[in-house]
Amino acid sequence: MSTTDGEQDRKTGTIDLATAMHRASTQLAELLRCDPGAVSSVRATEDGWSADVEVVELAKIPDTMSVMASYHVALDPEGRLVAYERTRRYARGQIDRR
């Protein structure tokens, strides 16, 4: 049985990728009381879902001066946030050099 956005598979209780992405972003933003930015990665794990979420930690004017942060989050199979860790802070206009 496939799931639709916002629904859980009735047999397994798991959510689909789009729902995991949305829940990772909204739950972390609510917990931190920050504006959500973007979800840069989502993957299914044995224990649920893993995602990297960007949030605006400190809004500034102009926007390029805002302080952003990357968080690695873990969700259970039903999409509840169970862990998070800040992995990086940076200015909004900063570009990674690899």
Side-chain angles (χ1 to χ4, degrees):
M1 171 187 247
S2 66
T3 60
T4 58
D5 189 35
E7 288 188 18
Q8 292 181 334
D9 184 311
R10 289 174 184 29
K11 291 180 183 176
T12 65
T14 60
I15 58 174
D16 63 10
L17 183 116
T19 302
M21 186 170 131
H22 176 73
R23 289 186 183 176
S25 177
T26 57
Q27 289 180 73
L28 182 66
E30 287 173 6
L31 181 67
L32 300 176
R33 296 186 179 157
C34 294
D35 291 333
V39 178
S40 55
S41 74
V42 179
R43 68 190 68 75
T45 67
E46 290 181 10
D47 300 323
W49 295 91
S50 172
D52 293 317
V53 180
E54 314 300 317
V55 297
V56 180
E57 284 201 333
L58 184 60
K60 295 278 189 173
I61 297 175
D63 281 346
T64 55
M65 297 302 293
S66 294
V67 177
M68 304 291 292
S70 296
Y71 284 85
H72 183 74
V73 301
L75 303 173
D76 67 12
E78 292 80 30
R80 292 184 297 260
L81 185 69
V82 294
Y84 73 94
E85 176 183 12
R86 184 170 63 197
T87 57
R88 181 173 170 242
R89 286 184 92 194
Y90 58 96
R92 183 183 289 248
Q94 184 178 343
I95 298 173
D96 286 339
R97 296 181 185 190
R98 295 183 189 210

